[in-house]
């Protein structure tokens, strides 16, 4: 039994496909299949039911793989302890980040982090919240940056910052005449939403939920996007309004900022957090990344606000 064989077995269990597992391990499929077959013969068991599509892990295979994950994680922990003793800041950090954060948050800290820690390789993957959680559980990510709380017992949340919502509104909309917006003014009838699966959509609906029944109607134009920037463009064509996270205002032109309206108290706010698996590694790297992100933000965003905290 070798470490390589265990890594191959875990990959097949994760992807439920030998070709995808081989690709993730940077080997050919025949090489991966041969090594797993050798391991099965050595232990005289069948780890996978290859007749099923997708590949199914057998009952004994599940027990072996669960223990293999623990063993490999402890081996990686040894390397991490050695690096910390040497005060080495190097390695790869795999980071999942939700789409409503990545275009606005990453430009604030990535360049400065790389300059300070040139031997650290950052790998970002833009994913939905549920995808990040699944990849953390399967050790395919080291950390997720997303909106909490998740209430997932396998994951640990570390608060990063608190981000307010603002309204981005058409110049032709009646609410455009108001300097501040009340939550009671909002209606899903005039609201542009992200498509299903985005936590920002759920947060938006939660904000509007008190008025949903009495104000929701049929919008003559229906469009749901996976990107906030697309919704902004629709508003700029003088259709309805959408909610924006506070960081989306960075770099916005003075002309477009005229479309922005803040909320009366209680201001809707979302909590952005670092999320890791309970048995996570690379604690030093993750800690340094957290420090860099928080240093790049206005200090008032680091303090928990008394306004209305929006969950999803």
């Amino acid at each position: 039994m070798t470490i390589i064989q265990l890594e191959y077995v875990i990959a097949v269990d994760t992807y439920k496909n030998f070709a995808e597992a081989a690709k993730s391990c940077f080997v050919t499929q025949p090489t991966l299949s041969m090594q797993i077959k050798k391991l099965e013969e050595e232990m005289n068991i069948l780890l996978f039911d290859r007749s099923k599509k997708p590949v199914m892990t057998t009952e004994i295979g599940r027990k072996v793989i669960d223990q293999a994950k623990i063993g490999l994680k402890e081996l990686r922990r040894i390397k991490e302890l050695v690096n910390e003793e040497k005060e080495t800041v190097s390695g790869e950090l795999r980071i999942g980040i939700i789409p409503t954060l990545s275009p606005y948050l990453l430009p604030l800290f990535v360049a400065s982090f790389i300059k300070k820690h040139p031997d650290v390789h950052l790998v970002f993957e833009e994913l939905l919240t549920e995808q990040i959680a699944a990849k953390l559980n399967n050790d395919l990510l080291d950390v997720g940056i997303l909106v909490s709380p998740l209430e997932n017992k396998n994951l640990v949340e570390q608060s990063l910052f608190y981000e307010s919502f603002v309204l981005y509104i058409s110049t032709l909309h009646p609410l455009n005449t108001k300097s501040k917006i009340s939550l009671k003014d909002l209606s899903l009838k005039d609201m542009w939403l992200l498509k299903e699966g985005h936590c920002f959509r759920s947060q938006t609906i939660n904000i509007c939920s008190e008025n949903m029944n009495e104000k929701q109607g049929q919008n003559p134009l229906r469009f749901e996007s996976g990107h906030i920037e697309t919704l902004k463009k629709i508003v700029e064509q003088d259709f309805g309004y959408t909610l924006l996270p506070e960081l989306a205002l960075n770099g916005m032109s003075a002309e477009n900022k005229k479309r922005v309206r803040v909320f009366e108290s209680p201001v809707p706010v979302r909590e952005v957090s670092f999320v890791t698996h309970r048995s996570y590694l690379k604690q030093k790297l993750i800690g340094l990344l957290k420090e860099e992100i928080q240093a790049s933000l206005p200090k008032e965003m680091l303090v928990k606000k008394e306004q209305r905290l929006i969950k999803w």
Side-chain angles (χ1 to χ4, degrees):
M1 182 185 301
T2 67
I3 293 174
I4 293 292
Q5 287 174 325
L6 295 180
E7 288 177 341
Y8 290 171
V9 167
I10 291 172
V12 173
D13 179 64
T14 299
Y15 292 98
K16 310 300 181 187
N17 181 285
F18 277 77
E20 288 297 318
K23 184 178 178 181
S24 74
C25 295
F26 304 101
V27 296
T28 64
Q29 183 176 339
T31 297
L32 179 137
S33 297
M34 179 185 66
Q35 289 297 326
I36 292 177
K37 188 66 176 175
K38 282 185 177 180
L39 181 61
E40 288 178 320
E41 290 173 352
E42 177 186 337
M43 295 189 295
N44 195 28
I45 60 172
L46 192 65
L47 295 170
F48 301 105
D49 183 348
R50 295 160 173 80
S51 67
K52 300 289 179 62
K53 300 294 181 184
V55 172
M56 295 292 292
T57 304
T58 63
E59 185 175 348
I60 184 62
R62 167 55 47 215
K63 294 178 181 179
V64 170
I65 290 167
D66 287 345
Q67 190 61 43
K69 287 180 177 179
I70 294 172
L72 290 179
K73 195 173 286 274
E74 290 305 312
L75 285 174
R76 296 191 194 108
R77 178 84 69 186
I78 293 173
K79 294 180 181 179
E80 184 177 315
L81 290 172
V82 172
N83 285 337
E84 288 181 357
E85 184 67 24
K86 293 179 178 178
E87 297 185 352
T88 301
V89 181
S90 62
E92 181 180 86
L93 199 56
R94 303 163 299 170
I95 306 155
I97 185 168
I98 57 174
T100 58
L101 279 171
S102 59
Y104 314 117
L105 183 61
L106 297 189
L108 299 182
F109 72 88
V110 168
S112 59
F113 183 89
I114 292 174
K115 186 176 181 179
K116 292 178 182 177
H117 310 292
D119 294 327
V120 178
H121 183 207
L122 299 179
V123 180
F124 287 97
E125 192 171 356
E126 193 175 81
L127 299 164
L128 300 180
T129 299
E130 291 181 355
Q131 294 171 321
I132 292 175
K135 288 204 168 192
L136 286 171
N137 279 323
N138 285 307
D139 197 30
L140 298 176
L141 291 174
D142 298 308
V143 63
I145 306 177
L146 44 75
V147 174
S148 55
L150 291 183
E151 298 177 353
N152 186 318
K153 64 180 181 180
N154 294 322
L155 303 178
V156 177
E157 300 169 12
Q158 304 176 44
S159 179
L160 267 179
F161 61 92
Y162 299 87
E163 186 176 28
S164 300
F165 292 84
V166 298
L167 197 69
Y168 196 60
I169 191 165
S170 160
T171 57
L172 300 181
H173 196 279
L175 290 180
N176 186 55
T177 59
K178 304 184 78 171
S179 59
K180 285 191 175 184
I181 303 297
S182 166
L183 294 179
K184 294 180 180 180
D185 293 328
L186 300 181
S187 166
L188 289 179
K189 174 181 178 294
D190 298 327
M191 182 82 70
W192 298 110
L193 299 170
L194 291 178
K195 62 184 179 182
E196 292 282 356
H198 289 264
C199 62
F200 196 81
R201 175 192 175 96
S202 300
Q203 294 152 20
T204 299
I205 291 175
N206 284 343
I207 290 171
C208 299
S209 61
E210 293 178 3
N211 308 308
M212 191 180 299
N213 292 331
E214 60 179 334
K215 289 189 176 182
Q216 187 167 16
Q218 188 65 39
N219 194 318
L221 175 64
R222 180 178 175 83
F223 183 85
E224 294 182 357
S225 172
H227 302 281
I228 286 179
E229 291 300 311
T230 305
L231 301 184
K232 285 171 60 181
K233 294 295 183 185
I234 296 176
V235 172
E236 288 162 15
Q237 295 301 311
D238 287 325
F239 287 103
Y241 50 72
T242 192
L243 289 186
L244 297 180
E246 185 177 349
L247 289 179
L249 304 184
N250 290 342
M252 183 181 286
S253 69
E255 186 62 29
N256 283 338
K257 281 187 177 179
K258 294 178 181 178
R259 301 176 184 273
V260 175
R261 296 292 181 274
V262 296
F263 285 97
E264 297 174 353
S265 184
V267 176
V269 172
R270 66 178 184 171
E271 180 182 38
V272 177
S273 295
F274 257 12
V275 179
T276 58
H277 193 272
R278 286 200 170 276
S279 56
Y280 77 101
L281 301 175
K282 304 182 182 178
Q283 297 183 27
K284 184 175 182 179
L285 289 183
I286 291 172
L288 290 172
L289 185 65
K290 181 179 179 180
E291 289 176 10
E292 194 65 34
I293 292 175
Q294 291 184 325
S296 72
L297 296 167
K299 291 183 179 180
E300 57 268 22
M301 293 185 72
L302 307 181
V303 180
K304 187 172 183 178
K305 297 176 172 64
E306 297 300 324
Q307 295 94 328
R308 181 178 175 184
L309 191 64
I310 300 300
K311 300 181 179 181
W312 69 286

